[in-house]
Amino acid sequence: MNYTILLHACCAICAGYPIQKLKEEGQTPLVYFTNDNIDTKEEFNRRKEALVKLCRYMEVDYIIDEYNPDLYLDRIKGLECEPERGKRCDECIALRLEKSARFAAKNGINAFTTTLVISPHKNYDRITDIGTEIGRLYNLNYTGINFRKGDGFLKTNKISKELNLYRQNYCGCRFAKNHLKEVTEYGM
């Protein structure tokens, strides 16, 4: 298959509309699930299974990268207490986009992007800056598509609900999960 773009997928919920949009634009995406930030193997597997179900339904090829949480923990060492959307998150995003770019370059795919930008909880501009810089390092085109435009977040949620996909309520890392717990318990 001649893929035109590698789509890093953080989860099935976020991937539905981006896959649809890329296909509507005439792209042939290869979905790449690489998420060493996820706090447990069980959570990783739940998200992986949901993504596989989505990709089969949408008739797109996918690759599931090996789960190696030590890569993430080494990368963010010293940043564990950073607030959400801070330096820890930047490093987490950079790790996943670097792995995606490396995979794309190794497999002759000249462009890559990420589903992370569809979330209203993520900073589109910051992710695009990180992706663009990584693209330069690997001589690839980071395609900064704002999948939120045109009600993308609503559309992706509709797809995930129609397929009854697993729905998580945090990005995946234990630090975000702990922050969510604090907000819930203490009304922060």
Side-chain angles (χ1 to χ4, degrees):
M1 176 76 62
N2 187 19
Y3 303 106
T4 59
I5 192 164
L6 183 81
L7 176 64
H8 164 260
C10 57
C11 65
I13 296 169
C14 292
Y17 178 67
I19 292 169
Q20 178 183 317
K21 181 166 178 56
L22 289 170
K23 288 176 74 174
E24 286 170 356
E25 291 177 354
Q27 299 272 11
T28 305
L30 175 62
V31 177
Y32 187 57
F33 184 76
T34 184
N35 295 292
D36 298 317
N37 63 306
I38 298 175
D39 65 338
T40 66
K41 181 71 171 173
E42 293 77 23
E43 181 68 17
F44 179 88
N45 286 335
R46 281 194 285 281
R47 293 179 191 213
K48 173 185 75 174
E49 290 165 12
L51 186 72
V52 168
K53 179 179 178 180
L54 173 72
C55 289
R56 288 180 178 160
Y57 174 80
M58 299 194 89
E59 299 179 338
V60 294
D61 292 337
Y62 59 90
I63 300 290
I64 306 296
D65 190 29
E66 183 179 327
Y67 176 60
N68 188 347
D70 291 337
L71 285 176
Y72 167 72
L73 294 172
D74 288 345
R75 180 72 176 248
I76 59 98
K77 192 170 186 96
L79 300 173
E80 297 88 348
C81 295
E82 280 285 312
E84 286 303 295
R85 297 178 74 162
K87 291 178 185 176
R88 183 187 67 247
C89 294
D90 288 352
E91 288 300 318
C92 176
I93 291 163
L95 171 66
R96 293 185 279 166
L97 292 184
E98 284 170 9
K99 289 181 79 177
S100 298
R102 213 173 305 127
F103 182 89
K106 181 179 175 184
N107 290 282
I109 304 170
N110 297 321
F112 71 108
T113 193
T114 182
T115 63
L116 287 166
V117 296
I118 201 165
S119 171
H121 305 291
K122 302 289 184 214
N123 184 323
Y124 170 82
D125 292 330
R126 187 69 193 121
I127 293 169
T128 300
D129 289 346
I130 292 168
T132 300
E133 182 59 32
I134 291 168
R136 281 191 205 112
L137 294 173
Y138 287 88
N139 199 28
L140 298 172
N141 178 31
Y142 174 78
T143 306
I145 302 169
N146 190 343
F147 292 115
R148 283 182 227 160
K149 286 190 175 178
D151 289 327
F153 188 67
L154 292 174
K155 290 174 183 175
T156 208
N157 275 293
K158 182 178 181 205
I159 292 166
S160 69
K161 286 177 184 173
E162 286 172 359
L163 295 176
N164 196 30
L165 298 175
Y166 168 69
R167 301 182 62 79
Q168 69 279 347
N169 64 353
Y170 70 111
C171 74
C173 85
R174 72 176 83 170
F175 308 105
K177 189 177 191 178
N178 290 341
H179 175 74
L180 178 66
K181 184 178 175 185
E182 290 171 7
V183 169
T184 304
E185 287 179 359
Y186 304 109
M188 296 172 76

